[in-house]
Amino acid sequence: MYSDRVLALALDCRHFGRLEGPTHEGLVGIPGEGEFAFFSLRIVDGTVQEAAFETYTCPAAKASCELLCRVIEGKTLEKSKLISDNDLLLLIGGLPEGKGHLAGLAVSALRSCLRGVKTE
């Protein structure tokens, strides 16, 4: 069963979608073929100005990605890179059995995003 916090985050996904003109993009998994997470960021002077995500419809995946976007906005790249799966699980207040790996999915997508700079 999902906690009230997870459900609230999954229902209030203000960061869901793709940014126009992102500076960084990253994907883990394959959309339409199971679990995936896609992040797009706008980074200016080493700070995350905006973050957005796409993922499949699982509430735990959506909540993890949403919370991660909220956490990294306004943070430096260095601080954003330090966030771990366990950090996200603690911040979200835990996930149901069998869903904990979805915090890791979100963090992996963020790390993929931070490694790759979008080229125009």
Side-chain angles (χ1 to χ4, degrees), residues 53-69:
F53 75 93
E54 290 181 345
T55 193
Y56 69 112
T57 58
C58 172
K62 290 173 72 176
S64 296
C65 290
E66 175 64 27
L67 181 57
L68 190 53
C69 284

Side-chain angles (χ1 to χ4, degrees), residues 17-116:
R18 291 185 183 224
L19 295 179
E20 285 190 34
T23 57
H24 293 66
E25 294 180 319
L27 173 69
V28 171
I30 301 170
E33 294 186 23
E35 297 175 349
F36 79 94
F38 173 84
F39 271 74
S40 56
L41 305 177
R42 184 167 300 110
I43 297 172
V44 178
D45 296 328
T47 300
V48 179
Q49 298 297 314
E50 286 185 90
F53 75 93
E54 290 181 345
T55 193
Y56 69 112
T57 58
C58 172
K62 290 173 72 176
S64 296
C65 290
E66 175 64 27
L67 181 57
L68 190 53
C69 284
R70 292 180 188 190
V71 167
I72 64 170
E73 279 187 340
K75 300 271 189 304
T76 64
L77 286 176
E78 290 76 25
K79 287 185 180 180
S80 297
K81 289 177 184 179
L82 294 176
I83 297 168
S84 72
D85 308 4
N86 287 336
D87 293 334
L88 191 56
L89 278 171
L90 286 172
L91 289 169
I92 207 166
L95 292 170
E97 187 174 331
K99 299 288 184 176
H101 69 284
L102 295 170
L105 181 78
V107 171
S108 292
L110 172 65
R111 288 187 178 147
S112 170
C113 188
L114 294 174
R115 278 193 302 270

